Amino acid sequence: MDWGALHTILGGVNKHSTSIGKIWLTVLFIFRIMILVVAAEKVWGDEQDDFVCNTLQPGCKNVCYDHFFPISHIRLWALQLIFVSTPALLVAMHVAYWRHEKKRQVRKGDQKCDFKDIEEIKKQRFHIEGSLWWTYTSSIFFRLIFEAVFMYAFYFMYDGFRMPRLMKCNAWPCPNTVDCFVSRPTEKTVFTIFMIAVSSICILLNVAELCYLLTKFFLRRSKKAGNSKKQPNHENKEETKQNEMNELISDSCQNTVIGFSS
Amino acid sequence: MDWGTLQDVLGGVNKHSTSIGKIWLTVLFIFRIMILVVAAERVWGDEQQDFVCNTLQPGCKNVCYDHFFPISHIRLWALQLIFVSTPALLVAMHVAYTRHEKKRRFRNGEKIDIQELKNEKFHIRGPLWWTYTSSIFFRIVFEAVFMYVFYYMYDGYQMPRLVKCSAWPCPNTVDCFVSRPTEKTTFTIFMLAVSGICMMLNLAELCYLVIKICMKESRKTT
């Protein structure tokens, strides 16, 4: 179970996302997870080995390292990425529940043969309407909350986003005050700022997606209010036609963009 | 999530590239990413452990290492490769959007074959031409920026054997010795040369696309 597995899980969600959601997912995987794995983990790899204190007192280095780095940046980023990715699973669960309901209806024979095959139900792409809209919007809201909370946690824990070269430590058993030197502080500062910048871009994408969904919702409501006076049967015919089209078309959009397996 | 995943992502884009674009992608994966992973990462693997300073002063080595190597070559190359690869995703998104539009037209009643739509190779014309050309332009800009950053940060492309450090807490001036300087210089020059080749391929592709469009325009007018 590693980042590749998360990639597989979220790939399925991608199919039901908006375009902004797909861009967000790309940014998440390429500019955050990939940078974390191929670059940042190596920068922080020797963080305790090369954390040096100007003392011969045994235990002083351990205690000072623990005092200044309660949770390593790498672990915080890993937690942030997992928390930020998981609201998308709410959407996946909702879609799975709908699919299950449709299969149940087909087996019972309630639904007329709009779906010729159970297989095609699996490939159907659901539009973000009705209760799915609420689930999707809540997932984006939670993503925003988690991003903001983690950015604040970073800021609070490390007094800003800069890694100092020198830390003065006087925790027991260190004698008086001891100078401790951090490993690769400039490189760490650069990567911290980079990850913060990409987090901010992700927050902006989420805000944009939220605005887009709200706008779509209000436009749809105003259209319905206008149409409801005309043909009451019109909507049912539209829905049936939509279902038939969805049945015939399996969405290969995400395969082109990201190459997620369907 | 590693370089293999990037290869999967960019593999899809390859279908819609020109021949020069396909060569560029091959050079990128074989001569840059693969070299980085199988060779360069090991050369730089012990860069801080084997960076030795002629002093017993605790902390001096850390500070001197940080002063002379603000960002390691390996990380700069990883960032360069990621930034240089991502403009291709603009093309992938444009193709996905075009496909989506065609499906929408199918739903509205126009006759299009679904299977063919999935496998269709879009020719680089119209708005796709602009997207493709912008992606090449951004690639060239990113390559140039990173090559300049390397030059500026390390005062050239040669790794010195000895660096003289006088940052606090080092007493006076201290001699510090870099690990594997010759091997690092060799790989730096190699990666620079391949970057240069990639830039030339991108320029050639840009010229090819511009000439193609000019010729098409002149055929239309005659």
Side-chain angles (χ1 to χ4, degrees):
Chain A
M1 190 73 204
D2 59 1
W3 294 113
L6 187 71
H7 181 112
T8 315
I9 292 169
L10 293 183
V13 177
N14 200 30
K15 203 160 52 162
H16 309 281
S17 301
T18 61
S19 309
I20 305 176
K22 289 172 184 166
I23 294 171
W24 173 83
L25 212 68
T26 311
V27 170
L28 184 82
F29 278 109
I30 294 183
F31 289 100
R32 295 175 78 177
I33 296 179
M34 196 162 166
I35 294 279
L36 185 79
V37 171
V38 309
E41 278 184 353
K42 279 160 206 158
V43 176
W44 269 265
D46 57 4
E47 53 177 333
Q48 193 169 278
D49 279 334
D50 287 335
F51 181 77
V52 168
C53 290
N54 188 3
T55 181
L56 292 172
Q57 172 65 46
C60 176
K61 175 187 135 162
N62 281 32
V63 162
C64 292
Y65 178 81
D66 187 60
H67 177 78
F68 287 108
F69 302 103
I71 307 176
S72 170
H73 287 63
I74 293 286
R75 261 68 71 186
L76 273 176
W77 281 323
L79 285 172
Q80 181 181 15
L81 291 167
I82 290 171
F83 274 85
V84 154
S85 319
T86 38
L89 294 177
L90 290 174
V91 177
M93 285 182 216
H94 195 137
V95 165
Y97 170 74
W98 272 12
R99 278 210 180 109
H100 180 75
E101 283 297 307
K102 288 216 153 124
K103 279 186 205 169
R104 207 170 48 83
Q105 285 169 5
V106 167
R107 276 188 214 124
K108 269 191 185 172
D110 285 353
Q111 201 158 0
K112 292 179 191 171
C113 294
D114 289 339
F115 294 99
K116 298 185 175 62
D117 203 9
I118 297 276
E119 286 304 310
E120 274 161 4
I121 294 175
K122 281 189 210 165
K123 293 182 197 158
Q124 185 196 11
R125 181 190 166 195
F126 292 96
H127 286 274
I128 303 170
E129 282 155 354
S131 50
L132 186 61
W133 184 92
W134 287 100
T135 310
Y136 195 87
T137 313
S138 326
S139 79
I140 297 177
F141 179 73
F142 282 119
R143 268 187 229 165
L144 280 166
I145 302 264
F146 289 139
E147 291 271 23
V149 163
F150 274 95
M151 279 172 84
Y152 177 71
F154 261 105
Y155 186 82
F156 177 74
M157 223 181 260
Y158 294 104
D159 275 326
F161 299 121
R162 212 181 138 260
M163 182 70 77
R165 262 185 192 178
L166 164 73
M167 291 167 162
K168 291 192 182 281
C169 175
N170 53 16
W172 186 88
C174 302
N176 310 303
T177 303
V178 161
D179 290 335
C180 291
F181 299 90
V182 179
S183 156
R184 308 181 202 256
T186 310
E187 207 166 358
K188 286 176 179 173
T189 305
V190 167
F191 274 94
T192 305
I193 291 172
F194 180 88
M195 294 295 266
I196 293 288
V198 186
S199 279
S200 312
I201 292 172
C202 285
I203 288 177
L204 288 171
L205 285 169
N206 284 329
V207 169
E209 201 178 359
L210 207 57
C211 295
Y212 167 74
L213 287 169
L214 286 169
T215 311
K216 207 167 122 172
F217 177 73
F218 287 119
L219 282 175
R220 203 175 289 144
R221 273 182 83 171
S222 58
K223 258 193 226 167
K224 271 189 186 171
N227 285 342
S228 64
K229 295 169 192 170
K230 295 172 188 175
Q231 306 163 24
N233 290 331
H234 181 71
E235 263 181 54
N236 283 338
K237 282 184 190 168
E238 277 294 312
E239 224 178 283
T240 318
K241 199 178 175 186
Q242 184 68 65
N243 286 340
E244 280 178 14
M245 291 303 132
N246 285 341
E247 168 197 341
L248 291 170
I249 297 163
S250 64
D251 195 60
S252 65
C253 222
Q254 79 280 9
N255 290 335
T256 316
V257 176
I258 307 262
F260 292 142
S261 54
S262 54
Chain B
M1 191 74 206
D2 58 3
W3 296 113
T5 323
L6 188 72
Q7 192 183 24
D8 292 335
V9 170
L10 293 182
V13 178
N14 202 26
K15 202 162 53 163
H16 309 282
S17 302
T18 60
S19 310
I20 304 176
K22 289 172 184 166
I23 295 170
W24 173 83
L25 212 69
T26 312
V27 169
L28 183 83
F29 278 109
I30 295 182
F31 291 99
R32 295 175 80 177
I33 294 179
M34 196 162 163
I35 295 281
L36 184 79
V37 169
V38 308
E41 279 185 353
R42 269 158 227 169
V43 175
W44 269 265
D46 56 6
E47 55 177 332
Q48 193 169 270
Q49 272 172 317
D50 288 336
F51 180 77
V52 168
C53 290
N54 186 4
T55 180
L56 291 172
Q57 172 63 47
C60 175
K61 175 185 134 164
N62 279 32
V63 163
C64 291
Y65 179 82
D66 186 61
H67 177 79
F68 286 103
F69 302 102
I71 308 175
S72 170
H73 288 65
I74 293 284
R75 258 70 69 185
L76 274 176
W77 282 323
L79 285 171
Q80 180 180 15
L81 290 167
I82 291 170
F83 274 86
V84 152
S85 318
T86 38
L89 293 177
L90 291 174
V91 176
M93 287 184 210
H94 191 134
V95 165
Y97 173 75
T98 315
R99 274 213 180 106
H100 183 74
E101 284 297 305
K102 283 202 162 161
K103 278 185 203 168
R104 210 171 46 83
R105 278 192 267 144
F106 171 78
R107 275 186 220 139
N108 293 341
E110 286 182 37
K111 290 180 185 173
I112 300 170
D113 187 3
I114 296 288
Q115 281 307 317
E116 219 181 85
L117 191 68
K118 277 190 224 168
N119 299 333
E120 187 182 345
K121 181 192 168 187
F122 291 95
H123 288 275
I124 303 170
R125 288 189 282 245
L128 186 60
W129 184 93
W130 287 101
T131 309
Y132 196 85
T133 315
S134 329
S135 78
I136 297 176
F137 178 73
F138 281 119
R139 268 186 227 164
I140 296 173
V141 167
F142 289 139
E143 291 272 22
V145 163
F146 274 95
M147 280 167 84
Y148 176 71
V149 163
F150 261 105
Y151 186 82
Y152 176 76
M153 220 182 260
Y154 293 105
D155 275 326
Y157 298 113
Q158 208 219 357
M159 183 69 76
R161 267 186 189 172
L162 163 72
V163 289
K164 289 190 183 285
C165 176
S166 53
W168 186 89
C170 302
N172 309 305
T173 303
V174 160
D175 291 337
C176 292
F177 299 89
V178 178
S179 153
R180 308 178 201 254
T182 311
E183 205 167 358
K184 286 177 178 171
T185 306
T186 310
F187 273 95
T188 305
I189 291 173
F190 179 87
M191 294 294 267
L192 187 74
V194 185
S195 280
I197 291 170
C198 284
M199 263 178 92
M200 284 197 288
L201 284 169
N202 284 329
L203 283 166
E205 201 177 358
L206 204 59
C207 294
Y208 167 73
L209 288 168
V210 169
I211 291 170
K212 203 167 127 175
I213 201 125
C214 291
M215 278 175 65
K216 210 171 279 169
E217 292 291 309
S218 64
R219 258 189 243 157
K220 274 188 190 171
T221 51
T222 53

